[in-house]
Amino acid sequence: MLIPLLVALQLRAAVTAGSITLRTPTASQRVPLVADTSGPVLRPQMLAPLLPVTVVAVSPGHYRLDIAGASFALEIGVPSTTVAGQVRPLASGPIIREHQLFVPLQLISEVLPSVAPNLRWDGASRQLSISIGARATPDRPANPQKSRLIVVDAGHGGPDNGMTGPIGAPISIYEKDVTLAVAMRLGAELRSRGLRVLFTRTTDTLIALSDRGRIANQAGGDLFISIHVNAANMGWKEPAAARGFETYFLAEAKTEDARRVEQMENQSVRFETDTNIPKDDALSYILSDMKQNEHLRESSELAELIQEHLASVHPAPSRGVKQAGFRVLVTAFMPAVLVEVGFGTNAAEAKYLTDRRHQAEIASAVADAAQEYLKRYERRVTGGSGNGGARDER
Ligand SMILES: [Zn+2]
């Protein structure tokens, strides 16, 4: 992990060119700019989730970029775009870097506000303000807590079984089955609490790790919860005895144990055949990382609450809140956590995790935690009006 990190740090110094701020009445996010010979450019997807963004490759070199209801036709290297039936000049042509589309800042600061009436650019503060109602879908009605969208992600699936266990007995637990059962139950619990839910999968199928985050971003998710089952390291003294639950948020892995879980969960990319996304895309990792950082505090608070609530139902000990670099969390630009609901390698815990009644208990506890988190979050954004209610200013 050390060498890629060093490269990453150097890359960061070389490519960043400041940032702009995206702001709604209740939230703000920073969007990093990248220096290009033609001027500052940015990845349009970085405007999500505050603005709905979709990038579609129409044909080689041609893209359609949808932002906040405006649709731009773009061609790589061509400094103009067609939007709302008009051809508009661009400061420079869109470019592809590290397999990602980048557009000139001027498209966002000048062209976009001219076609999206609810967006206003302030050059002095380098800030794009979104007034209420600017979202393409009116999903922020009077009672915002009711309308929050939780993305529920069942780990693994299809050819990727995840872990199997328990140690020293015939296989009785497949991680992918437990994660799906708990996730479906969690979704039902959240819906019964008036929240909206999007599942990354509802059947035994494989979804690429990077797609899970993308699905969440495109839907404008407010929270991302990924469910997994842990496996002991066979090198441990008594691997079959390891048990307990832990919740991760995205950051650099701090401990040996966190690195073990990170490596294990990131292995799912082995099953992915889609090569659109480079497996070790340092640049997009950094950019995602910078963006995700703004959700670090939120994510760690959600993780704390999940651990607290799980402790009230789970028979095994809490292993605490941890941090690691999970691919599935890297691409989700919202508070995002990964819950290891127990060790399938432990015989008693495998039995517990495959029991439908206990799966329901786990799901209910996680749903309680998410609901409590959202209540606190709403209080913060609607409470302190003196600071504009920005989520990063509490
Ligand atoms: Zn897993």
Side-chain angles (χ1 to χ4, degrees):
M1 270 334 263
L2 262 177
I3 289 164
L5 247 174
L6 274 178
V7 172
L9 287 172
Q10 282 163 3
L11 248 174
R12 172 180 285 197
V15 299
T16 54
S19 62
I20 60 171
T21 304
L22 203 55
R23 192 173 285 276
T24 72
T26 55
S28 75
Q29 72 188 51
R30 202 165 49 85
V31 179
L33 300 176
V34 171
D36 184 62
T37 47
S38 59
V41 297
L42 60 96
R43 253 188 88 202
Q45 284 94 334
M46 305 303 277
L47 299 165
L50 286 189
L51 283 178
V53 177
T54 316
V55 176
V56 180
V58 182
S59 59
H62 292 79
Y63 290 82
R64 202 190 71 228
L65 167 62
D66 293 332
I67 305 179
S71 191
F72 298 88
L74 297 168
E75 186 176 352
I76 299 306
V78 176
S80 67
T81 180
T82 304
V83 59
Q86 277 192 317
V87 178
R88 304 284 300 268
L90 294 178
S92 61
I95 56 171
I96 297 290
R97 271 198 181 187
E98 309 271 323
H99 306 268
Q100 302 286 346
L101 176 73
F102 284 77
V103 299
L105 170 61
Q106 171 252 358
L107 187 153
I108 303 303
S109 64
E110 186 189 307
V111 186
L112 177 61
S114 74
V115 291
N118 292 316
L119 297 179
R120 201 171 42 87
W121 172 254
D122 179 58
S125 60
R126 293 165 76 81
Q127 187 166 304
L128 187 66
S129 307
I130 310 164
S131 51
I132 293 185
R135 289 183 70 112
T137 45
D139 57 1
R140 290 286 184 278
N143 183 348
Q145 208 230 311
K146 281 242 185 282
S147 74
R148 293 290 177 189
L149 177 64
I150 321 294
V151 181
V152 177
D153 176 51
H156 311 274
D160 175 13
N161 289 329
M163 68 76 57
T164 54
I167 292 172
I171 293 178
S172 63
I173 177 170
Y174 287 91
E175 178 176 2
K176 66 173 182 178
D177 296 334
V178 174
T179 61
L180 184 58
V182 172
M184 296 306 289
R185 196 61 202 235
L186 171 59
E189 287 283 343
L190 291 166
R191 281 179 178 153
S192 77
R193 289 157 166 78
L195 294 157
R196 291 181 305 133
V197 171
L198 175 73
F199 296 101
T200 54
R201 70 176 178 103
T202 55
T203 57
D204 183 16
T205 179
L206 179 69
I207 313 281
L209 292 180
S210 53
D211 284 341
R212 295 173 189 253
R214 200 175 311 142
I215 290 167
N217 295 334
Q218 284 177 357
D222 292 295
L223 289 185
F224 184 89
I225 303 175
S226 189
I227 303 291
H228 288 260
V229 176
N230 219 332
N233 185 324
M234 293 307 284
W236 289 348
K237 219 175 182 179
E238 279 184 87
R243 51 203 282 267
F245 52 95
E246 55 199 26
T247 303
Y248 285 83
F249 63 98
L250 178 76
E252 197 187 334
K254 275 223 162 135
T255 65
E256 203 51 51
D257 191 45
R259 268 189 290 276
R260 172 188 63 81
V261 177
E262 169 185 304
Q263 225 170 39
M264 186 170 68
E265 299 300 3
N266 285 347
Q267 268 178 11
S268 288
V269 292
R270 281 185 302 150
F271 298 92
E272 297 170 12
T273 48
D274 181 359
T275 49
N276 283 341
I277 304 296
K279 298 291 182 251
D280 277 296
D281 180 345
L283 178 62
S284 65
Y285 179 85
I286 298 158
L287 296 180
S288 305
D289 182 40
M290 290 168 70
K291 177 73 171 301
Q292 179 68 38
N293 266 337
E294 299 181 19
H295 299 298
L296 268 190
R297 216 167 13 187
E298 303 285 338
S299 301
S300 81
E301 180 179 342
L302 173 61
E304 290 284 354
L305 284 166
I306 289 175
Q307 283 301 112
E308 272 172 35
H309 282 267
L310 275 179
S312 66
V313 296
H314 206 295
S318 166
R319 296 167 62 92
V321 169
K322 299 181 176 179
Q323 55 184 71
F326 292 111
R327 284 172 187 274
V328 67
L329 302 185
V330 162
T331 48
F333 300 140
M334 63 201 71
V337 295
L338 186 148
V339 190
E340 297 280 359
V341 294
F343 276 79
T345 40
N346 176 275
E349 205 138 294
K351 197 160 170 240
Y352 169 79
L353 292 172
T354 47
D355 182 301
R356 294 196 69 81
R357 199 163 43 93
H358 294 310
Q359 290 171 349
E361 278 171 10
I362 291 172
S364 172
V366 175
D368 285 342
Q371 193 180 25
E372 186 174 338
Y373 165 83
L374 286 171
K375 261 188 208 143
R376 291 186 187 187
Y377 174 74
E378 298 298 341
R379 225 174 289 141
R380 281 200 297 276
V381 296
T382 54
S385 56
N387 63 10
R391 71 166 70 179
D392 52 359
E393 287 174 7
R394 70 190 158 102

